[in-house]
């Protein structure tokens, strides 16, 4: 069960790393509409990943410490 929690943390860390990569690459593009759309998409994906990471960590916590 703890491996699932660690995996969730690593998933979010990987998503953050990918987002940084996209952001640095977008900084060199002059098309504001393209940059804006992709920036919004990156943040949307990060929010989704964070929600999933928190859900998985809560499940793991409940499995490790049942009420």
């Amino acid at each position: 069960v703890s491996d699932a929690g660690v995996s969730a943390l690593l998933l979010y860390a990987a998503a953050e790393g990918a987002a940084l990569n996209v952001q640095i690459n977008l900084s060199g593009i002059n098309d504001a509409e393209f940059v804006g759309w992709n920036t919004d998409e990156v943040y949307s994906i990060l929010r989704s990943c964070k929600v999933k990471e928190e859900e998985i960590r809560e499940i793991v916590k409940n499995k490790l410490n049942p009420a």
Side-chain angles (χ1 to χ4, degrees), residues 1-66:
V1 172
S2 63
D3 288 348
V6 171
S7 296
L9 292 169
L10 292 173
L11 167 67
Y12 187 68
E16 284 277 0
L20 291 173
N21 190 325
V22 170
Q23 290 169 334
I24 194 71
N25 290 323
L26 287 175
S27 69
I29 296 175
N30 294 324
D31 183 337
E33 184 178 341
F34 178 83
V35 170
W37 179 84
N38 281 284
T39 299
D40 292 346
E41 187 70 14
V42 165
Y43 286 117
S44 175
I45 291 168
L46 277 177
R47 283 190 299 273
S48 295
C49 288
K50 186 63 176 171
V51 167
K52 290 296 179 189
E53 182 254 341
E54 289 171 351
E55 288 173 357
I56 293 167
R57 287 183 53 203
E58 186 65 23
I59 291 167
V60 169
K61 184 177 97 175
N62 290 335
K63 294 282 185 186
L64 293 174
N65 301 306

